[in-house]
Amino acid sequence: MNKIDFTACPECDLLLNLAAPEVGDKAHCPRCGYLMQRPRKQSIERTFALSLAGLILMFPANLMPLVGIKMLGNTKDGTLWSGVVALFEEHLWGVAILVFLSSILFPLLNIILSLLISAHLYFKKPNRHLAHWMRWLQHMDEWAMLEVYMLGIIVACVKLASTSELKFGFGLYAFVALLIVTGMLASSLDKVLFWRQIGQLRK
């Protein structure tokens, strides 16, 4: 007796036969149009390389100066971490925690999980935690919001440009590079392929 595999649409719960589209094609739910699958070329290899690059960029992006402000002869550099500390010192604990989680912790966890999963799949090393890591990674996508923090930096620079002299630090360039890498990482990760490979390793 042949085994038939089904999958449920996350939007409308319609049961569908598992599709196998080619790279470049897309599989949509016939009832609601939800994008079910979009295979990526060399997804595991690209995810592994991009997550490794993102992990390296996290350190200068968080610890090196983003913007230096010169006003009345005094210069002060600001880093991503010092911004969080400043919010805590101003007793804006809720905002500080939100900025820390969305711009530092969750992006870091997202990159680490991507690196761990893709490395195990690339080297074909089974691990009993792979499925748990993959579920956590899917939830992290909703909370890692580096682009929102980047928008805040741009707005702050525009407002300060007329009253002070700004100097962009290496941390800002690393942060922009990290933003590009995380965007490429999100588009390169083929979740259906990853789950399929995880299932094969568990066997």
Side-chain angles (χ1 to χ4, degrees), residues 1-188:
M1 183 176 180
N2 295 329
K3 180 182 177 182
I4 302 177
D5 293 325
F6 292 95
T7 185
C9 173
E11 288 293 321
C12 66
D13 295 326
L14 178 67
L15 286 179
L16 301 166
N17 289 326
L18 287 174
E22 299 293 331
V23 174
D25 294 335
K26 299 178 182 179
H28 293 269
C29 173
R31 183 159 70 184
C32 68
Y34 180 82
L35 179 61
M36 298 291 297
Q37 190 176 356
R38 184 176 60 184
R40 276 81 163 182
K41 186 178 181 180
Q42 295 181 321
S43 177
I44 295 174
E45 294 84 353
R46 288 167 60 88
T47 300
F48 180 49
L50 288 169
S51 56
L52 186 59
L55 185 62
I56 295 172
L57 287 169
M58 280 295 295
F59 294 98
N62 284 281
L63 301 177
M64 298 190 71
L66 297 172
V67 180
I69 302 174
K70 186 176 182 180
M71 184 180 296
L72 301 176
N74 296 320
T75 303
K76 186 175 183 180
D77 294 327
T79 65
L80 192 61
W81 176 251
S82 66
V84 175
V85 174
L87 289 171
F88 269 109
E89 291 176 348
E90 294 292 330
H91 304 292
L92 298 172
W93 299 304
V95 179
I97 292 173
L98 183 61
V99 171
F100 172 72
L101 292 177
S102 62
S103 62
I104 298 179
L105 182 60
F106 287 146
L108 178 60
L109 290 177
N110 192 9
I111 290 172
I112 291 175
L113 288 173
S114 299
L115 180 61
L116 285 173
I117 297 169
S118 59
H120 280 82
L121 297 183
Y122 180 76
F123 294 107
K124 294 181 171 55
K125 299 291 185 180
N127 190 302
R128 61 189 180 92
H129 299 297
L130 275 174
H132 298 293
W133 292 342
M134 191 65 193
R135 292 190 189 98
W136 294 343
L137 179 61
Q138 289 179 301
H139 292 300
M140 288 295 167
D141 291 340
E142 305 169 1
W143 293 98
M145 297 180 289
L146 287 174
E147 63 278 2
V148 177
Y149 198 86
M150 187 66 206
L151 181 61
I153 294 175
I154 295 173
V155 172
C157 289
V158 171
K159 289 186 175 182
L160 292 171
S162 59
T163 60
S164 59
E165 182 181 346
L166 300 180
K167 182 181 179 181
F168 301 124
F170 183 78
L172 181 62
Y173 300 110
F175 187 83
V176 173
L178 178 62
L179 188 63
I180 296 172
V181 167
T182 53
M184 295 174 62
L185 180 60
S187 63
S188 298

